[in-house]
Amino acid sequence: MRLARLLFSAADVRRKLRAVSSLAENAGATEHERANAASLKVRLQQRLKEAGEPAGDWTDNAFRLGRQVKELTKGTSPGSPKGDWTDNAFRLGKALRRGYKKWL
């Protein structure tokens, strides 16, 4: 859940950044609106940089995939150690099955 919240917040910041950029480039906006938009744009870009995420191109998808894989590997339980009794039981069952098939 923490990862999803981080991804959604970065997406929200990018959406706001696009809106502010379009306002700053709008010819019909007043000088004060452009100045406010420019300062807000700088703050939003700083927030994205502090989040440590890529700029929103194809590397963003690769970054998200890497984060998800990293979270998946953390959540798995360690595998059973080799050489415990279940390995021997598996081999015994396999041998019995082969013998039973030959016997039939």
Side-chain angles (χ1 to χ4, degrees):
M1 186 170 164
R2 186 182 76 221
L3 179 64
R5 187 174 46 213
L6 176 67
L7 293 177
F8 289 128
S9 68
D12 290 341
V13 170
R14 282 197 190 94
R15 182 179 41 80
K16 289 176 189 176
L17 187 60
R18 280 194 303 267
V20 167
S21 296
S22 65
L23 179 66
E25 295 169 359
N26 187 3
T30 64
E31 189 61 37
H32 295 293
E33 288 175 338
R34 282 192 212 131
N36 287 339
S39 65
L40 184 59
K41 181 179 176 181
V42 169
R43 284 194 308 245
L44 289 174
Q45 286 175 341
Q46 184 63 29
R47 273 182 64 185
L48 280 176
K49 190 182 293 184
E50 288 172 359
E53 295 195 18
D57 52 357
W58 67 271
T59 58
D60 191 26
N61 293 333
F63 177 81
R64 288 181 185 181
L65 178 66
R67 279 250 174 124
Q68 289 174 350
V69 168
K70 189 175 181 182
E71 287 292 321
L72 287 175
T73 57
K74 284 183 183 177
T76 59
S77 61
S80 64
K82 291 288 182 188
D84 61 348
W85 67 272
T86 57
D87 292 336
N88 294 331
F90 177 74
R91 281 191 224 107
L92 178 64
K94 205 171 176 181
L96 289 174
R97 184 176 65 231
R98 285 182 188 153
Y100 182 71
K101 283 184 177 181
K102 286 182 182 179
W103 181 68
L104 286 179

